[in-house]
Amino acid sequence: MAAVGPGTPTTLVPMEQRPRPADGAHGEPGDGPDGEPGDGPDREPGDGPDREPSAPDAVGDLLAVAVRSIGGVPRQGQQAMAAAVAQAVGRGEHLLVQAGTGTGKSLAYLVPAIAHAMATGRPVVVSTATLALQAQIVDRELPRIAHALAPLLGRRPTWQLVKGRRNYVCRHKLVGGFPADDDVLFDLRSTADPADPADPAGAAGTAPSTSVPTPVSPLGREVARLREWALETASGDRDELVPGVGDRAWRQVSVSAQECLGGQRCPHAANCFSELARERAHEADVVVTNHAFVAIDTFEGRRMLPEHDLLVLDEGHEFADRVTSVISDELTEGIVDAASRRVRQAGLRGQDRLDDAVAVLAAALAEAPEGRFALGIPEDLASASALLRDAAREVLSALSAQAPKPGADGARQAARAAVSEIHEVAERLAGGSAAPQGPDVAWVSRYRRPDGGTRVGVHIAPLSVAGLLRQRLYEDRTVVLTSATLTLGGTFDVAAGSVGLLGEDAPAWRGVDVGSPFDYPRQGVLYLARHLPPPGREGVSAAVLDELAALVEAAGGRTLGLFSSRRAAEIAAEDLRERLDVPVLCQGDDTTPTLVREFARDARTCLFGTLSLWQGVDVPGSACQLVVIDRIPFPRPDDPLSAARQQAVARSGGNGFMAVAASHAALRLAQGVGRLVRSAGDRGVVAVLDSRLATARYGGFLRASLPPFWTTDARQAVLDALRRIDAAAPDPIPVREAASRAGEAAFAG
């Protein structure tokens, strides 16, 4: 492990020093029987072991106990990572850890994190990018770690999952404290007390109807089922509702953080699902949340998370993109119209200026060209934004001066939230931040709506979040970023730069690559289809389809196809269904978790899809022995943010293509290639049907970002290998069903 400072080269653990696979069972969380959360005593400051929690030797002892408890064996990479995390906490330095698949990285950071929290009395925060990993940590890993470590730590560690308010049922909205959407009122009628569309239940303080509503549409049926569930749920967590409902239905029982009345004004604050989760978080040892929640807490100063001095960002390669999404904005005619309706529902008249402003905005958007404003926002659109900003400010003043009406707080707060958002976005658009070489990027998008109309929107996003993260993220806490794909082209520089850890004023940090227990050269083949023509703009070529069919036939199915677009996946699925006698599933046929379970259940089945499959599929065993990638996943040439970032790098004298486009492609490619080997017994082939990976000058950089598979362009050798692997394959390993989250409302521990 090599220490590095800001801007200095990163030294990785040499390949010959990385651990090789161990025989038998391993200690990765998730193996063995599921555990259940249990109640633990309240945590007191300093309650825990009487030793320094970050001491690597003490953490090593705890890790060994946890590994034995789940029936695993020691792993060098896991031990090295746990020691590095403990050392970083002890020194107060920031850490980037690349931990290859099979390392058991969750256990490697959770053990030192729990020890630190219990010794100091301060919670640690663990954040993920995906719901799947979040659920795995809360439902499977923490219960078993807590059970294993309780005898050594003196009590059972506790934890709490925390999400944004929109993820929980709002009790006040459930009983009519906020106005419902007008169209939903028509879809869901009470048989005894029809609602007046002009005066939605609760908008003016009237009591909601207690009669049973009669659904008259699919949306109405979803809302009716949702309301029945909302009266029974113990946690109010949307993820507990199975099957789920669409966003439009969920909005009828939830509110955003801006719409929430707050603990001082809401009559249901004492039983609020969101507030209760946050209160329990202050008493927990480990708080589990998501990257967007961390970003909002960091940049908006709402103090939603308890005070902590250790933040672990798992799936850290996604963090900068999630932060960018949080602080990006959009403005459309429909968004402003919806805000205007909220104002009317709040009983405020005279919002004509807002309606006039949206008409000017719509006219400016209609004339604006699609794509990025490389020379700054056009004058007519900037003027329309300024007009809208002033109109929104006027409405906000009127709402503040409005005399309170009994029971109307919800409607007024919803209106204030909607108009405040418009004011902030319009001010940002009119303020000149998207000028050439400014800190923001602005563009116009056009989408075809299901009804045949066109949705036109203006977007604004930060060119980079590195500076913001450097200023806000690292204050008064140790930050650990970890992922299986943090190094690109052999260094941590891209990942470190994206989160503000490069530059003269960047804080000190260390980069560690603990390798993987898998023997990649023996377990997998990287096939470079050098003979295929380079991909063009016309989509999937006949040559690629022929190559795909030959590979899938040789593999006997067992194929995960990762495509650059939904249309390409659909074309390939349709072609193979006609050519081969194997089941081919395609993303969109059903929910992704359902498709993955079907894929894992039958060895002959193939699954084709796009981005969410590149990094969201974990299918160990013989069901996935061939991963096919149709083309290098560069960002779209017309992607506004990518194009602006490439130009910014070029202006500073760098290579914009390599720094932005190639780095993006390397990360996505590494994630996709990583779908093949998920356990020590896995064998198979990754086939990249884009000859540029073998022939282009940047191909070496991309290949250096991938696991060290045995690499070849010999087509017949690959087909023969696939046939041998297919003939020797054991039965597939089914994917676990999703764990029930019903008990999570109790203080988990």
Side-chain angles (χ1 to χ4, degrees), residues 463-478:
L463 180 64
S464 170
V465 295
L468 292 171
L469 290 172
R470 186 182 303 123
Q471 295 170 13
R472 303 282 188 86
L473 183 65
Y474 304 102
E475 294 179 345
D476 302 322
R477 61 183 170 189
T478 295

Side-chain angles (χ1 to χ4, degrees), residues 569-585:
E570 292 171 347
I571 290 173
E574 292 170 3
D575 183 79
L576 259 66
R577 285 166 183 160
E578 294 179 359
R579 292 197 197 203
L580 304 178
D581 184 24
V582 296
V584 180
L585 307 174

Side-chain angles (χ1 to χ4, degrees), residues 17 40 42 66 107 126 130 150 189 209 261 377 409 469 510 535 552 568 647 652 683 719 722 739:
Q17 296 180 16
D42 290 340
L107 195 66
V126 174
T130 62
R189 286 291 192 216
S209 171
L261 294 177
I377 296 177
D409 279 356
L469 290 172
R510 189 162 57 118
V552 172
Q647 289 185 3
S652 64
R683 301 288 187 274
L719 295 176
L722 284 171

Side-chain angles (χ1 to χ4, degrees), residues 81 97 99 105 109 312-317 480-484 486:
M81 179 174 175
V97 185
K105 62 181 169 62
Y109 66 69
V312 179
L313 299 172
D314 202 341
E315 300 175 311
H317 64 279
V480 175
L481 282 89
T482 184
S483 169
L486 278 186

Side-chain angles (χ1 to χ4, degrees), residues 218-541:
L219 174 63
R221 286 189 288 273
E222 275 197 331
V223 173
R225 180 169 65 87
L226 181 54
R227 287 180 175 174
E228 290 178 359
W229 169 83
L231 295 174
E232 301 170 352
T233 176
S235 70
D237 187 339
R238 181 178 182 176
D239 289 336
E240 188 182 307
L241 177 64
V242 179
V245 297
D247 290 343
R248 194 170 164 211
W250 182 256
R251 284 197 299 269
Q252 309 314 307
V253 297
S254 67
V255 297
S256 67
Q258 293 79 13
E259 293 170 331
C260 177
L261 294 177
Q264 299 298 317
R265 294 166 54 202
C266 181
H268 297 275
N271 296 312
C272 172
F273 291 120
S274 177
E275 286 296 320
L276 289 173
R278 295 183 189 188
E279 288 176 10
R280 288 191 293 267
H282 283 78
E283 301 299 325
D285 297 308
V286 180
V287 178
V288 182
T289 187
N290 57 74
H291 292 347
F293 197 91
V294 171
I296 294 170
D297 184 75
T298 299
F299 294 120
E300 298 188 8
R302 296 187 198 166
R303 297 187 178 276
M304 301 181 297
L305 291 169
E307 289 189 9
H308 57 280
D309 58 9
L310 174 58
L311 170 64
V312 179
L313 299 172
D314 202 341
E315 300 175 311
H317 64 279
E318 289 280 350
F319 187 67
D321 285 345
R322 299 304 171 99
V323 173
T324 300
S325 296
V326 165
I327 53 181
S328 299
D329 291 310
E330 179 189 18
L331 203 55
T332 69
E333 181 181 2
I335 290 173
V336 183
D337 284 341
S340 186
R341 287 197 300 272
R342 290 297 191 199
V343 173
R344 285 192 292 271
Q345 288 174 330
L348 182 67
R349 300 295 180 250
Q351 74 279 6
D352 295 344
R353 190 177 176 190
L354 191 63
D355 294 335
D356 293 340
V358 73
V360 176
L361 175 70
L365 287 174
E367 297 297 324
E370 186 173 15
R372 179 169 65 99
F373 298 129
L375 302 178
I377 296 177
E379 184 177 349
D380 58 345
L381 184 54
S383 298
S385 300
L387 184 66
L388 187 59
R389 174 199 62 200
D390 296 341
R393 183 187 299 124
E394 183 178 289
V395 172
L396 288 172
S397 298
L399 284 169
S400 298
Q402 185 183 36
K405 295 181 181 180
D409 279 356
R412 189 164 57 250
Q413 184 66 21
R416 184 181 292 112
V419 178
S420 292
E421 181 178 354
I422 289 169
H423 177 266
E424 292 171 6
V425 180
E427 187 170 48
R428 189 176 177 186
L429 289 166
S433 63
Q437 301 186 35
D440 284 336
V441 179
W443 68 94
V444 163
S445 64
R446 284 181 167 81
Y447 299 102
R448 179 71 64 181
R449 296 198 308 257
D451 62 4
T454 301
R455 182 182 187 274
V456 185
V458 57
H459 306 257
I460 188 164
L463 180 64
S464 170
V465 295
L468 292 171
L469 290 172
R470 186 182 303 123
Q471 295 170 13
R472 303 282 188 86
L473 183 65
Y474 304 102
E475 294 179 345
D476 302 322
R477 61 183 170 189
T478 295
V479 178
V480 175
L481 282 89
T482 184
S483 169
T485 52
L486 278 186
T487 64
L488 297 179
T491 79
F492 284 96
D493 289 350
V494 172
S498 72
V499 294
L501 287 175
L502 293 184
E504 293 182 0
D505 56 344
W509 60 279
R510 189 162 57 118
V512 178
D513 183 353
V514 300
S516 169
F518 300 150
D519 190 349
Y520 286 114
R522 292 180 179 273
Q523 290 185 246
V525 175
L526 175 62
Y527 170 46
L528 307 180
R530 183 190 297 268
H531 64 284
L532 292 177
R537 294 186 177 182
E538 65 277 359
V540 185
S541 68

Side-chain angles (χ1 to χ4, degrees), residues 547-627:
E547 190 78 0
L548 176 62
L551 290 165
V552 172
E553 185 175 31
R558 309 179 189 275
T559 302
L560 177 65
L562 304 177
F563 293 84
S564 55
S565 70
R566 175 67 68 88
R567 183 59 186 149
E570 292 171 347
I571 290 173
E574 292 170 3
D575 183 79
L576 259 66
R577 285 166 183 160
E578 294 179 359
R579 292 197 197 203
L580 304 178
D581 184 24
V582 296
V584 180
L585 307 174
C586 190
Q587 193 172 10
D589 293 346
D590 205 327
T591 65
T592 298
T594 299
L595 291 174
V596 171
R597 284 194 294 271
E598 291 184 23
F599 172 56
R601 191 178 297 122
D602 178 15
R604 297 178 63 254
T605 296
C606 302
L607 174 58
F608 292 174
T610 55
L611 183 59
S612 63
L613 298 187
W614 283 72
Q615 53 187 345
V617 175
D618 184 10
V619 181
S622 62
C624 182
Q625 295 187 334
L626 171 63
V627 173

